[in-house]
Amino acid sequence: MSVTKDFEVPKDVIYPPGDLYSDEPPLETDLHRLQMTLLIQCLEWLWQNRNDFYASGNLTIYYSPRQRKSENFRGPDFFVVLGTERKPRKSWVVWEEDGKYPNLIIEIISDSTGDTDKGLKKQIYQDIFRTPDYFWFDPETLEFSGYHLLDGKYQSLEPNPQSCLWSQQLGLYLGVYQEKLRFFTPEGKLVPTPEEVAQQAEQEKQRSDRLAAKLRELNIDPDTI
């Protein structure tokens, strides 16, 4: 049976309430939870001045053509939708979001979910969601793979010399850094977390203070330099 992504509303459909809650179980381990949170924090910090995207994780995506909560739903571990309003949501309901599906999905896999993430979910994201960029990452084994949708089929992405994979949709690289999946700019610079930004600022302040103190020991006013 062929399935298209174009969202056509049947004439006999009764619209359900617009307050569908997410119905996803907790992530398997702390590693999975922390990895999901890390991706969300980094992207939201990088795009803090943008209001045209939605990034979330472990949140139900309802996509039933008959607009029913009880059928056709998935909960990616991390996903990004572009060209939409940046606001909190209880879930992602395709028929209430102009038929939009995620532009990028990342599944944080494990021994128990790996087969589904690499098989059934990959097929759904390719054939129904038509999500352009799909990645999976195992936080325990550090297995990392990525795919881009080309002519309706997922094609494996080739890593760059730094073993990073390019996300065309985000305009960013993804790669493993200190056993975590992280974003990198097109120039290869690590996209920091807010905490890392604060730590770097504090370190720079301490270096500046030490330099100023040294200059004063030499009877040089640092403010005149």
Side-chain angles (χ1 to χ4, degrees), residues 8-220:
E8 297 180 1
V9 180
K11 295 181 181 179
D12 59 347
V13 163
I14 299 176
Y15 282 80
D19 58 351
L20 297 182
Y21 283 85
S22 179
D23 192 27
E24 296 306 306
L27 292 173
E28 288 195 5
T29 68
D30 283 344
L31 282 177
H32 290 73
R33 176 180 56 81
L34 292 171
Q35 177 63 75
M36 179 195 72
T37 303
L38 178 64
L39 292 168
I40 294 172
Q41 287 180 336
C42 289
L43 191 66
E44 289 192 336
W45 178 86
L46 181 66
W47 288 357
Q48 58 189 290
N49 296 321
R50 290 181 55 170
N51 294 301
D52 61 346
F53 76 98
Y54 178 70
S56 190
N58 201 37
L59 192 83
T60 303
I61 296 175
Y62 295 104
Y63 61 97
S64 166
R66 294 189 291 178
Q67 302 188 3
R68 293 181 178 178
K69 179 181 179 182
S70 60
E71 61 185 19
N72 301 106
F73 55 89
R74 285 287 160 184
D77 293 326
F78 174 80
F79 68 92
V80 180
V81 183
L82 303 176
T84 190
E85 185 179 357
R86 184 178 182 180
K87 65 178 182 180
R89 290 169 170 84
K90 300 171 183 176
S91 61
W92 184 268
V93 185
V94 170
W95 59 83
E96 294 179 354
E97 302 283 357
D98 299 324
K100 289 182 179 294
Y101 287 79
N103 293 75
L104 172 141
I105 289 175
I106 299 174
E107 291 290 0
I108 307 169
I109 69 174
S110 66
D111 289 341
S112 62
T113 66
D115 290 344
T116 300
D117 292 326
K118 298 174 184 179
L120 176 62
K121 283 188 176 182
K122 182 182 176 187
Q123 199 72 32
I124 290 173
Y125 299 156
Q126 172 186 275
D127 297 339
I128 301 177
F129 284 25
R130 295 183 189 170
T131 293
D133 290 346
Y134 176 48
F135 300 84
W136 67 63
F137 174 67
D138 187 326
E140 295 186 1
T141 67
L142 307 185
E143 177 187 348
F144 175 46
S145 296
Y147 300 84
H148 180 70
L149 197 66
L150 184 64
D151 296 329
K153 299 294 182 182
Y154 276 137
Q155 304 295 323
S156 297
L157 293 169
E158 293 297 324
N160 69 2
Q162 291 72 42
S163 299
C164 294
L165 300 178
W166 178 249
S167 167
Q168 188 180 97
Q169 294 294 297
L170 301 186
L172 297 169
Y173 282 106
L174 288 101
V176 181
Y177 174 78
Q178 295 183 347
E179 300 188 345
K180 299 289 191 298
L181 185 63
R182 301 291 297 265
F183 295 115
F184 296 83
T185 67
E187 297 76 28
K189 184 178 180 180
L190 179 71
V191 175
T193 65
E195 290 77 13
E196 289 169 342
V197 172
Q199 289 173 3
Q200 183 178 2
E202 178 61 26
Q203 290 171 357
E204 291 177 353
K205 181 180 183 301
Q206 291 177 0
R207 284 195 295 268
S208 177
D209 290 345
R210 287 196 297 270
L211 176 60
K214 187 64 176 178
L215 289 172
R216 291 190 181 96
E217 289 177 5
L218 299 173
N219 294 320
I220 301 173

